[in-house]
């Protein structure tokens, strides 16, 4: 590969000013190529896509921003730290960045944020890649039990329990989740060590508010499902079923509204790109090559 070709697939680390807010993002590929937007999950950042991005930069333009209050982006006091606020951020970010139409990777809480953007701007969405992102309440996994109890009875003690989980050990549990021990060995402690080091009191408060407010987001689940039924976007589902929050049934539930979706269940868990990237990548490349290529 030529020097120019190597530079194309390298991930660049950049900042963008969005109405006075510093937004950190990772970028790879050629501007003008078919775009893939990569919103991250909790408690992570664009760091989760660091190894995926170079694999597709030969044909696609990949962009992964850190949400406000996450990663290396600012934490402005005036920002609305809820799913509507994050979806509006993604909309403004893609406009400022000049992304017209793009495929979008939906993972963890980025799945609901991305779907709110899709509902608001359906003309922007060329395709969906869904990876362990939940929008069906009846198939939520057993790790949701504590949150569901809090939703039924939102006591101060319950909120303190949520706050206790926003900790380095809580982050470790989020990243390891329910994968088998030999797969857990592939998940670097850099994930929880890095992201915990980026937390401060304000960011911790924001995280607690978001988690405590997830009941309102579950109320949006029927709207996400209606969007899928109405628009039938080309969809690839790649899923790690070793996930205490979003087991195999959570993946299969998407077929209720997207019967033509392509579904692959892999040997992994919630952070599939950490344990199973080499298995996931060919499915993504084949899918994007069919539905979202120059």
């Amino acid at each position: 590969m030529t020097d120019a070709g190597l530079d194309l697939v390298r991930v660049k680390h950049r900042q963008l000013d969005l109405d006075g807010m510093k937004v950190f993002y990772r970028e790879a590929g050629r501007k003008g190529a078919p775009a893939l937007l990569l919103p991250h999950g909790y408690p992570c950042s664009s760091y989760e896509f660091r190894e995926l991005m170079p694999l597709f930069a030969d044909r696609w333009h990949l962009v992964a921003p850190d949400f406000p209050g996450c990663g290396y982006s600012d934490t402005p006091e005036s920002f609305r730290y809820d799913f509507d606020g994050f979806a509006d951020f993604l909309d403004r970010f893609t406009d400022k960045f000049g992304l017209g139409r793009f495929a979008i990777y939906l993972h963890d809480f980025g799945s609901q944020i991305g779907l709110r953007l899709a509902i608001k701007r359906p003309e922007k969405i060329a395709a969906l890649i869904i990876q362990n992102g939940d929008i069906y309440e009846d198939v939520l996994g057993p790790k949701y039990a504590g949150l569901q109890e809090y939703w039924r009875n939102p006591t101060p003690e319950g909120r303190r329990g949520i706050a206790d989980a926003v900790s380095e050990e809580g982050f470790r549990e989020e990243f390891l989740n329910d994968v088998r021990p030999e797969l857990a060995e592939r998940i670097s402690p850099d994930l929880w060590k890095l992201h915990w080091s980026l937390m401060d009191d304000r960011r911790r408060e924001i995280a607690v508010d978001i988690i405590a407010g997830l009941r309102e987001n579950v109320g949006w689940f029927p709207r996400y499902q209606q969007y899928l039924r109405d628009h039938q976007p080309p969809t690839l589902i790649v899923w790690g079923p070793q996930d205490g929050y979003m087991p195999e049934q959570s993946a299969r539930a998407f077929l209720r509204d997207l019967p033509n979706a392509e579904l692959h269940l892999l040997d992994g868990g919630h952070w599939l790109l950490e344990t199973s990237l080499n298995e996931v990548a060919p499915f993504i490349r084949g899918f994007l090559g069919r539905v979202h290529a120059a």
Side-chain angles (χ1 to χ4, degrees), residues 4-270:
L6 285 171
D7 188 64
L8 185 71
V9 300
R10 290 190 178 105
V11 177
K12 313 299 194 307
H13 305 86
R14 293 172 167 154
Q15 293 180 359
L16 177 149
D17 185 280
L18 190 64
D19 303 325
M21 173 174 59
K22 182 189 75 178
V23 177
F24 175 87
Y25 66 94
R26 299 169 199 259
E27 181 179 17
R30 176 180 57 82
K31 283 184 167 62
L36 174 59
L37 180 66
L38 300 160
H40 62 82
Y42 170 86
C44 207
S45 67
S46 61
Y47 185 76
E48 74 171 272
F49 299 114
R50 70 201 180 280
E51 294 183 350
L52 178 142
M53 296 177 74
L55 301 182
F56 300 95
D58 59 326
R59 293 185 63 188
W60 290 277
H61 180 204
L62 300 100
V63 184
D66 287 353
F67 286 117
C70 300
Y72 300 121
S73 288
D74 280 349
T75 310
E77 284 298 325
S78 59
F79 187 81
R80 180 180 177 183
Y81 292 97
D82 60 17
F83 286 85
D84 279 336
F86 288 128
D88 178 66
F89 160 79
L90 271 188
D91 192 22
R92 291 187 293 127
F93 176 84
T94 54
D95 278 350
K96 176 85 179 251
F97 202 83
L99 291 184
R101 184 168 164 81
F102 47 82
I104 187 168
Y105 195 104
L106 303 178
H107 174 237
D108 194 80
F109 82 163
S111 60
Q112 294 100 20
I113 296 165
L115 284 171
R116 291 196 191 205
L117 173 61
I119 290 168
K120 179 180 179 181
R121 302 289 289 271
E123 73 283 357
K124 284 192 168 190
I125 306 302
L128 307 178
I129 300 170
I130 304 174
Q131 189 254 298
N132 294 70
D134 49 337
I135 65 165
Y136 295 90
E137 186 173 9
D138 62 308
V139 288
L140 295 178
K143 285 201 169 201
Y144 268 107
L147 272 177
Q148 289 169 321
E149 175 58 33
Y150 177 78
W151 296 339
R152 288 188 293 269
N153 184 28
T155 63
E157 292 78 13
R159 185 178 173 88
R160 282 194 291 272
I162 294 171
D164 289 342
V166 184
S167 62
E168 183 176 340
E169 183 58 31
F171 280 18
R172 179 180 182 275
E173 172 62 22
E174 290 288 338
F175 284 114
L176 295 180
N177 204 313
D178 282 357
V179 295
R180 298 193 316 277
E182 65 269 25
L183 292 178
E185 291 176 348
R186 303 179 189 176
I187 300 175
S188 172
D190 295 343
L191 283 160
W192 58 87
K193 292 287 187 181
L194 168 64
H195 289 93
W196 181 246
S197 75
L198 293 171
M199 296 294 282
D200 56 23
D201 289 344
R202 176 62 181 133
R203 287 187 167 195
R204 192 163 181 257
E205 178 186 8
I206 289 166
V208 173
D209 286 342
I210 291 170
I211 296 168
L214 284 176
R215 170 75 265 179
E216 184 271 339
N217 185 55
V218 170
W220 270 71
F221 281 10
R223 301 191 213 184
Y224 305 146
Q225 296 159 20
Q226 188 66 52
Y227 163 81
L228 299 179
R229 286 194 297 273
D230 289 346
H231 292 274
Q232 293 295 307
T235 301
L236 170 69
I237 305 168
V238 283
W239 206 274
Q242 297 168 49
D243 185 342
Y245 291 103
M246 305 165 203
E248 178 178 335
Q249 297 91 326
S250 298
R252 294 192 180 279
F254 281 93
L255 299 179
R256 302 172 190 173
D257 299 309
L258 293 169
N260 297 318
E262 180 182 339
L263 169 64
H264 300 279
L265 299 170
L266 294 107
D267 187 18
H270 190 77

